[in-house]
Amino acid sequence: MKAFLKYREIWLLAAIVALIGLISTRFPAFADPGNLRQVFNDTSILMILALGQMVVILTRSIDLSMASNLCFTGMVVAMLNAAHPAIPIPLLIVIALAVGLVLGAINGLLVWRLNIPSIVVTLGTLTIYRGATFVLSGGAWVNADRMSPDFIGFQRAAFLGIPVLSWIAILVIALFFVLMTRTALGRSIYAIGVNPTASVYTGIDVGRTKFIVFCISGMIGGLCGYLWISRYVIASVEVANGYELNIIAACVIGGISIAGGIGSVGGAVLGALFLGIISNALPVINISPFWQMAISGSAIILAVVLNARGERQQGRIILKKVEAVT
């Protein structure tokens, strides 16, 4: 039982359940299964983005350009759909992934080949990608009346009573779980975060691995570009402005260590869900948005304190010690 309670995710899940219970005392319908499904659906994009950020943070890096990537890619697919509404939605999603991949690869190459700190690189590309969105669109918006019904309706369609957007989030969560727990790349990501110098001696190419995680982050930003625009049915240069802070907050609350090497897929998802519950519930129970910001900020500070305490202990064991045979 004690070993079970050591998992950060268990405490975060308990906090989410307690939060739902507390909100239900003021608004009983909040805990209804239908409403909770809607909360999950509303938080799906943040969950997906948090997973993309997670793999970057685990390697002792950070991607501040994810929201700008989302904005640029969303504008690209929105303009394509407006000009050529016959393009199939799956092809538009592939295009979004490809554009996001290119933007992520630019970040990764600068970090890998030029050895520039990731915070400097992505702070620069944050501005560049959003500026490129303005240049591409000429400052104009793409509104719902210019988008095709399929473009808007794809992620709103339901399968087994659950919106496609939620199914996409579930699929991405499953893929990241397999990536981080069942693949050599996942083990390399954790190893680099724990000790990048030692990782080199185990045969891990640190620079190449960081390039790959920025490509993954870029593809996630591209995917969410389509999902965001089709959900909120407007593409502009202001889309997701400042949203990178929410993405990082979800990771921190979920126990992803900014120092790298510590964190899990479940933690990132629960961190995003925690923020999603707050953003959905507080306006319903007539709590000021300023209190919403204060509660979110307090949760982040508490998470940082807990992370700092956890980092004093041993990080994740990547390579097991093997006794020499005499």
Side-chain angles (χ1 to χ4, degrees):
M1 185 64 177
K2 289 183 179 180
F4 183 71
L5 292 176
K6 286 181 180 179
Y7 289 100
R8 171 72 176 277
E9 294 83 0
I10 301 302
W11 292 105
L12 183 53
L13 180 59
I16 289 173
V17 172
L19 180 61
I20 293 173
L22 182 62
I23 294 168
S24 298
T25 61
R26 292 279 302 274
F27 186 66
F30 187 81
D32 290 347
N35 187 68
L36 293 179
R37 282 197 300 270
Q38 185 60 45
V39 171
F40 183 91
N41 193 62
D42 290 343
T43 315
S44 292
I45 294 177
L46 179 57
M47 290 180 188
I48 297 170
L49 289 167
L51 291 171
Q53 186 70 252
M54 176 197 71
V55 294
V56 176
I57 292 178
L58 285 173
T59 63
R60 299 190 177 189
S61 302
I62 197 166
D63 187 355
L64 298 177
S65 67
M66 285 194 77
S68 296
N69 180 333
L70 181 160
C71 178
F72 179 81
T73 307
M75 181 61 75
V76 169
V77 295
M79 292 179 68
L80 275 174
N81 178 253
H84 306 284
I87 296 178
I89 300 305
L91 179 57
L92 280 178
I93 293 175
V94 171
I95 292 172
L97 288 168
V99 173
L101 173 61
V102 171
L103 299 184
I106 292 171
N107 290 335
L109 283 172
L110 292 173
V111 171
W112 176 21
R113 292 301 188 185
L114 300 184
N115 201 29
I116 304 174
S118 59
I119 191 171
V120 176
V121 169
T122 57
L123 186 62
T125 54
L126 176 156
T127 306
I128 292 171
Y129 296 161
R130 200 164 286 275
T133 306
F134 180 86
V135 172
L136 177 67
S137 65
W141 294 13
V142 179
N143 296 314
D145 58 352
R146 297 180 59 193
M147 300 176 186
S148 69
D150 289 343
F151 184 90
I152 297 172
F154 174 75
Q155 53 119 336
R156 289 176 167 79
F159 176 70
L160 299 178
I162 299 175
V164 169
L165 176 58
S166 293
W167 283 115
I168 292 173
I170 292 169
L171 176 61
V172 172
I173 291 168
L175 291 174
F176 269 86
F177 178 80
V178 173
L179 169 68
M180 301 308 298
T181 61
R182 298 290 185 270
T183 68
L185 176 60
R187 291 190 291 273
S188 297
I189 290 170
Y190 277 113
I192 291 171
V194 172
N195 192 325
T197 303
S199 299
V200 174
Y201 291 104
T202 64
I204 297 172
D205 189 330
V206 174
R208 182 173 175 273
T209 302
K210 287 190 175 184
F211 170 76
I212 292 173
V213 298
F214 274 104
C215 288
I216 293 172
S217 172
M219 291 178 70
I220 289 296
L223 171 64
C224 290
Y226 163 72
L227 296 176
W228 184 293
I229 299 304
S230 63
R231 179 167 180 78
Y232 299 108
V233 292
I234 186 168
S236 76
V237 74
E238 295 297 325
V239 162
N241 192 17
Y243 203 68
E244 54 275 346
L245 300 180
N246 297 60
I247 301 168
I248 296 170
C251 290
V252 172
I253 292 173
I256 313 301
S257 172
I258 295 296
I262 300 175
S264 69
V265 170
V269 170
L270 290 173
L273 191 58
F274 182 87
L275 291 179
I277 290 171
I278 290 177
S279 64
N280 276 270
L282 297 191
V284 172
I285 57 179
N286 296 320
I287 293 181
S288 166
F290 294 103
W291 279 108
Q292 178 179 331
M293 295 169 62
I295 293 172
S296 299
S298 300
I300 293 170
I301 293 173
L302 178 60
V304 170
V305 171
L306 293 175
N307 287 348
R309 292 186 61 185
E311 287 163 18
R312 296 193 188 103
Q313 303 173 357
Q314 185 178 8
R316 174 169 175 156
I317 299 174
I318 306 300
L319 301 175
K320 294 182 179 180
K321 183 178 180 180
V322 180
E323 295 182 359
V325 179
T326 57

